Amino acid sequence: MVGVGGARKYFGLSLNIGTGAGWVKDFAKPVTQKGARLKEAGFALAPFHTLVSADFWVSPSFSVGGFARIQIIEFAFLGGGRLQYRTSRSGPHEFRVRLGGGVGHVRHLVKLGNRLDTTLEGIGHVSLGVTYRYKFSDVIGFVLSPDYLHMFGESPSYHLDVNFGLEFMF
């Protein structure tokens, strides 16, 4: 990352909020209603979460970093590592692709009869995403990142997150 005046940036910290949804398999286990079974696989929301990322830019176009995703409603944690590659930059606009993986769970909101419950998908995941960054200044930028997460483990699922927030470059 090259800043105004040619000063290279080596570290990025991103603070985001987001939401998501996924495809829950029919063998996912409800958390509150122990022993209950989902009647069928289907679409399920994963409401509000936070996402914090720290990236070390080993070159102007390539970073290695880590992230932590915490669901606020019905707590669930997901964390791991990620590689990013800047594909283009034009003025204040920047696009990146990213690939990552890690451990943790995503909690989906499911309907069981006339009640709502949640399921925990995971314990592991791989992710693929893109990031759009709009540079406000040499240090601060707005980021928007959709990410696909393929959850695997005892309860696998397919999941899509949309995150937005601020990124600070140093």
Side-chain angles (χ1 to χ4, degrees), residues 16 20-21 38 43 59 63 69 92 96 104 106 118 130 136-137 146 170:
N16 299 269
L38 298 180
F43 180 78
S59 80
S63 77
R69 177 190 184 276
R96 306 172 188 163
V106 169
T118 60
V130 296
F136 292 131
S137 73
F170 306 98

Side-chain angles (χ1 to χ4, degrees), residues 3-4 9 11-13 133-142 166-170:
V4 174
K9 304 295 184 179
F11 179 74
L13 179 66
R133 181 177 193 262
Y134 182 83
K135 185 170 137 180
F136 292 131
S137 73
D138 194 34
V139 175
I140 300 173
F142 168 79
L166 295 176
E167 182 179 54
F168 303 90
M169 300 296 295
F170 306 98

Side-chain angles (χ1 to χ4, degrees), residues 11-14 52-56 63-68 82 84:
F11 179 74
L13 179 66
S14 178
V52 176
S53 301
D55 298 295
F56 298 95
S63 77
V64 176
F67 65 92
R82 182 176 331 188
Q84 283 191 105

Side-chain angles (χ1 to χ4, degrees), residues 20 26-27 33 36 45 54 56 58 78 84 87 107 157 166:
D26 57 355
F27 50 84
Q33 299 177 56
L45 295 176
F56 298 95
V58 296
L78 183 78
Q84 283 191 105
T87 59
R107 190 180 291 268
S157 72
L166 295 176

